[in-house]
Amino acid sequence: MGTAATRKRKRRRSGSRLGSGSRSGSGSGSGSGLGKRRKRAKTKAKEEEDEEEEAGREGVTESGKGRHGGGNAVTGGETGTGAPPAGTESGSGSGSSSLAEFRSRAKGGHGDSRQSGGRGVADAGADVGSGGGGGGSGGMLSAGGKQLSLLEETVHLRRAGKLKELTKEELEAEEERKLVEAFASTKALVSAAELAEGGRTVQPLPTTWRPPRWAQERGPEVYEALRTKYNIEIKGEDVPKCLTTFEAMKLPPAIVKHLVGKSILKPTPIQMQGLPTILSGRDMIGISYTGSGKTLVFTLPLVLVALEEELRMPLMPGEGPVGVVLSPSRELARQTHQIACDLAAALHADGGPKLRMALCMGGVPVKPALEMVDEGVHAVVATPGRLLDMLKKEQFSLRLVRYMCLDEADRLISDGFEEDMRDILSFTGKAPRQTVLFSATMAQSIKEFGATALVSPVVVTVGRAGAASLDIIIEVEYVATEEEKMSYVVNSVLDKTEPPVIVFSSSSSVVDALLEYMMIKGVAATAIHGGLSQSERLQAMDDFKNGKADVLIASDVAAKGIDFPHIAHVICVDLPKEFEMLPHRLGRTGRAGNVGVASVLITPRDDPIMLSDLRAMLIEAKQRVPPYLLRDATASASATEACPMCGGLGHRIADCPLVTQRARTNARSRMRRGDEHRVGDY
Ligand SMILES: Nc1ncnc2c1ncn2[C@@H]1O[C@H](COP(=O)(O)OP(=O)(O)OP(=O)(O)O)[C@@H](O)[C@H]1O
């Protein structure tokens, strides 16, 4: 590992769980050491949450003017020609549309659809969110009309003798069903107005995009075979074709050229099914393992929606956006925004119009985004807190939005973001809207909820949701005490591979202590966590990306979605607070078909349920299970069926730590929202 100490980043935090905060690097470290130049930016409570964006703000005023929503023609009409020879998967390439062709299609393609919409509105009383009538969560009412909790309900039923005849297994299954329903009944994807009116759009967004004719003429058995070959599972009605080349998807040549320049030559499985699905205007839930190219699946349509709108009717100053991508962290928002800008620039360089893509996230000045809005903004990539803040200040409007994506959607529609999401949707107009959700992890409860809140969605799954990528070699290492971890990481684990390496911990103070220790040991390291200022976070990311630092020590703020190229090794010094986070952490390596190594440190003090999940994950990924895990993990777990709440393979819902944690987080979030003056890390 490199020895050049880079920047003099000095921080210290006492009480680190890892100890060793002292100069000697040993002992139980109260955290003296490198001085006190960095003030503590966070309280303990904030540190525990650490991760990300939150918001609790008041007041919703619908604003915005101008346009009206409409159809979603994306890249053109039915011009794919030249069937490929039987048995081949690719088109002839003639399906790819030039910008001029695209322009003419966009102008004539779907006439008035922007005005007329195309999605009908459901009758009052329609099934909004999950659950439908009766409160959705399956709760029942007491004689006094009060909604009963699940617990109270069970007690009532027991007293009434209705549960007597059920076996223990049946009771457990019933309990699971109700818990899943209870959590699935959250309605983050349905705006307050839609909830109030009991209506929502019920037709997929109309689009003029079609696959090439040769692809349309193939029988369903061809697509079934392709999906089997690429391990693609689909759910939904009338699922669009799976296309195995970008040309067959009729992307503008400038985009294909841009992708080739990035060595993206052939779609990955989630792209094969996901891109045609979104280009067809369908709502979609996309689940695929980490590093499998999901970002392109939702970013490319964002840019193409923007292109089409601009070609049909250029945006006026103050208008837009027509597309929005929401990310749960600033780093992820920044990354996605850059990818969208690159795609837009490729179109512009080929003679296309200039598309304006705004980045709206906390920690950075709002001015550049506002300047873009003044000119007319085509698309926005945002974190929920900043977006909501701007909407409430009427700095722009979402009334023209016809494409909305939630990246890392399981995080965005749970964990206290729910209210923000609903508030954000209150700012959308009545225009038809296409909604797509993506993640590598999505527990059954979230998937079910998504499926009821979207319009005739297509669910595309590649691999099991929450499974570790098979391109990662996972090694579990047993360490007897927390105090030993720090020296163990530096002296035994770090040297297993060449840099770059990412080290994860769920605690900011451990991240700080590790940074201090590594700097003392001469390791070129930098760190990122939610307690640092935005400029410090940015600097750390840049130093790591451009090779100034060999090691990035990170809290889970960097676990989801961040695409560092060629990470050789991920080290988890502890298990995350939610097991679901582990595949995300591990997934920073082994991306885009490369093989990676991950080390997970465990101690005897780790939660047995977490260890059980870990064991099941290793077995599923056909990795070596250390004897310690075989001995101590709880024996009751089923290794074939995932917990419907959190996706963990090692336990059932009755033992799910997430159930308790979510309840706690939601309560905390409700309390925060009562504080009008709070300004979150958004
Ligand atoms: N078709 C492709 N061929 C080769 N590389 C690709 C392809 N599509 C995307 N990539 C590259 O793969 C890497 C991972 O892609 P991406 O970040 O979209 O993964 P992801 O599925 O979103 O992962 P995560 O779940 O961690 O967010 C990126 O560097 C991207 O440029």
Side-chain angles (χ1 to χ4, degrees):
M1 192 54 60
T3 55
T6 52
R7 298 179 297 127
K8 287 195 171 181
R9 301 169 57 86
K10 290 161 184 130
R11 65 189 63 122
R12 182 182 64 76
R13 203 176 287 272
S14 63
S16 144
R17 280 202 298 129
L18 282 179
S20 300
S22 63
R23 278 179 193 282
S24 67
S26 63
S28 62
S30 63
S32 61
L34 282 180
K36 296 169 182 166
R37 275 176 243 172
R38 183 182 301 265
K39 67 175 179 230
R40 290 183 192 183
K42 296 183 63 66
T43 62
K44 177 78 181 150
K46 176 69 190 129
E47 181 186 302
E48 274 174 6
E49 282 167 31
D50 193 37
E51 272 182 42
E52 257 317 284
E53 318 302 328
E54 70 235 16
R57 279 156 284 272
E58 74 289 354
V60 174
T61 315
E62 197 139 330
S63 65
K65 50 200 172 282
R67 298 173 168 232
H68 9 262
N72 183 22
V74 178
T75 55
E78 234 174 287
T79 57
T81 54
T88 64
E89 287 168 16
S90 62
S92 63
S94 60
S96 188
S97 53
S98 71
L99 204 61
E101 208 178 325
F102 186 97
R103 194 187 302 267
S104 76
R105 275 187 212 134
K107 284 204 190 292
H110 53 122
D112 291 340
S113 60
R114 196 192 281 176
Q115 292 181 14
S116 61
R119 288 181 176 200
V121 175
D123 294 340
D127 172 22
V128 180
S130 71
S137 65
M140 72 184 218
L141 299 178
S142 72
K146 178 178 157 261
Q147 182 85 27
L148 297 182
S149 73
L150 288 172
L151 192 65
E152 289 165 333
E153 188 183 335
T154 310
V155 172
H156 268 267
L157 290 172
R158 267 190 219 287
R159 281 195 189 134
K162 288 187 185 157
L163 296 182
K164 242 189 228 151
E165 58 280 9
L166 296 182
T167 64
K168 184 169 169 280
E169 288 73 28
E170 284 168 334
L171 269 174
E172 278 174 5
E174 179 65 5
E175 200 177 322
E176 281 198 2
R177 189 188 62 73
K178 284 185 175 169
L179 274 168
V180 170
E181 266 185 20
F183 279 88
S185 73
T186 56
K187 295 179 177 67
L189 288 183
V190 183
S191 75
E194 285 170 326
L195 276 176
E197 289 172 15
R200 65 189 171 107
T201 52
V202 292
Q203 298 294 322
L205 203 65
T207 168
T208 58
W209 184 89
R210 300 282 179 280
R213 189 156 294 139
W214 57 261
Q216 293 183 47
E217 285 165 0
R218 282 171 160 181
E221 68 288 349
V222 176
Y223 295 104
E224 274 164 32
L226 281 175
R227 289 183 189 118
T228 306
K229 177 175 172 186
Y230 291 107
N231 197 20
I232 301 167
E233 277 180 33
I234 50 162
K235 228 169 136 185
E237 282 171 25
D238 197 15
V239 175
K241 317 274 184 232
C242 159
L243 300 173
T244 56
T245 66
F246 290 121
E247 286 77 13
M249 295 175 197
K250 297 198 276 185
L251 303 180
I255 294 286
V256 177
K257 194 170 149 211
H258 171 75
L259 296 179
V260 170
K262 296 200 158 291
S263 307
I264 298 177
L265 311 177
K266 183 182 187 313
T268 61
I270 186 70
Q271 293 165 354
M272 290 176 190
Q273 185 62 65
L275 278 167
T277 300
I278 301 182
L279 295 179
S280 300
R282 297 290 297 273
D283 281 6
M284 173 177 159
I285 299 178
I287 301 155
S288 179
Y289 53 92
T290 51
S292 59
K294 293 185 289 295
T295 314
L296 197 63
V297 186
F298 59 80
T299 311
L300 194 46
L302 175 81
V303 175
L304 294 179
V305 160
L307 173 66
E308 184 214 309
E309 283 292 318
E310 181 62 19
L311 292 178
R312 286 182 57 219
M313 197 190 295
L315 286 187
M316 300 292 285
E319 282 191 337
V322 293
V324 173
V325 173
L326 283 163
S327 306
S329 81
R330 296 170 188 174
E331 283 70 21
L332 190 51
R334 191 167 160 246
Q335 177 178 292
T336 303
H337 176 252
Q338 189 56 55
I339 293 169
C341 287
D342 291 348
L343 290 166
L347 288 170
H348 188 45
D350 194 44
K354 189 161 188 251
L355 301 176
R356 287 174 291 276
M357 310 270 146
L359 174 63
C360 302
M361 63 175 208
V364 296
V366 75
K367 202 168 161 228
L370 290 180
E371 284 171 356
M372 218 171 259
V373 172
D374 284 345
E375 286 183 72
V377 64
H378 295 89
V380 163
V381 182
T383 53
R386 173 57 65 92
L387 180 65
L388 192 54
D389 203 42
M390 292 180 77
L391 290 169
K392 285 178 176 173
K393 290 177 181 155
E394 300 190 26
Q395 288 170 326
F396 65 89
S397 147
L398 294 185
R399 294 185 57 186
L400 287 186
V401 167
R402 45 180 266 212
Y403 177 78
M404 178 162 287
C405 169
L406 274 59
D407 189 14
E408 311 296 353
D410 48 343
R411 171 106 175 86
L412 282 177
I413 55 182
S414 58
D415 293 4
F417 278 107
E418 182 196 341
E419 291 292 319
D420 284 354
M421 291 309 306
R422 193 180 306 155
D423 287 352
I424 287 170
L425 290 175
S426 301
F427 287 88
T428 56
K430 292 223 169 207
R433 185 179 69 235
Q434 181 179 16
T435 308
V436 298
L437 316 180
F438 279 85
S439 186
T441 50
M442 205 172 288
Q444 190 60 21
S445 56
I446 305 266
K447 221 187 314 179
E448 279 181 15
F449 155 62
T452 54
L454 304 188
V455 177
S456 182
V458 176
V459 183
V460 182
T461 312
V462 183
R464 186 186 69 83
S469 163
L470 296 177
D471 293 330
I472 306 169
I473 300 160
I474 307 169
E475 294 175 352
V476 175
E477 315 235 359
Y478 177 82
V479 185
T481 63
E482 292 289 337
E483 287 68 31
E484 281 173 50
K485 279 183 177 174
M486 189 128 37
S487 59
Y488 185 72
V489 166
V490 174
N491 300 323
S492 306
V493 191
L494 213 51
D495 283 336
K496 277 189 179 173
T497 65
E498 291 288 303
V501 174
I502 303 185
V503 180
F504 279 111
S505 168
S506 42
S507 154
S508 304
S509 55
V510 172
V511 170
D512 283 340
L514 263 168
L515 177 66
E516 203 172 297
Y517 184 70
M518 285 197 194
M519 288 176 70
I520 291 166
K521 294 284 178 180
V523 177
T526 186
I528 182 169
H529 60 69
L532 300 177
S533 70
Q534 188 55 34
S535 59
E536 288 172 315
R537 282 160 72 158
L538 220 97
Q539 184 71 50
M541 296 282 284
D542 288 347
D543 283 353
F544 188 55
K545 274 196 170 166
N546 62 30
K548 277 194 194 163
D550 291 334
V551 180
L552 176 71
I553 310 159
S555 71
D556 286 322
V557 75
K560 282 192 172 181
I562 306 297
D563 184 50
F564 297 108
H566 311 302
I567 300 296
H569 193 182
V570 164
I571 302 168
C572 302
V573 297
D574 50 29
L575 291 172
K577 287 182 184 134
E578 290 177 13
F579 189 78
E580 255 184 326
M581 190 62 88
L582 190 62
H584 288 281
R585 280 184 179 182
L586 305 182
R588 294 319 96 203
T589 187
R591 298 174 72 76
N594 298 308
V595 175
V597 178
S599 304
V600 182
L601 271 56
I602 56 171
T603 70
R605 291 183 57 193
D606 281 320
D607 183 327
I609 291 175
M610 286 278 203
L611 294 179
S612 185
D613 284 346
L614 177 61
R615 178 187 62 167
M617 173 195 262
L618 294 172
I619 294 169
E620 182 190 40
K622 299 194 171 32
Q623 306 269 342
R624 195 183 83 84
V625 182
Y628 171 78
L629 267 188
L630 283 174
R631 197 182 64 230
D632 282 356
T634 54
S636 62
S638 142
T640 52
E641 214 183 318
C643 164
M645 262 315 291
C646 76
L649 271 179
H651 65 270
R652 301 305 306 150
I653 198 168
D655 302 316
C656 181
L658 199 58
V659 174
T660 330
Q661 190 168 327
R662 288 250 156 98
R664 216 181 294 142
T665 312
N666 286 340
R668 217 162 43 200
S669 144
R670 275 195 295 276
M671 277 164 64
R672 276 202 213 110
R673 294 175 64 82
D675 174 7
E676 293 193 339
H677 305 294
R678 191 187 72 83
V679 179
D681 171 23
Y682 68 99

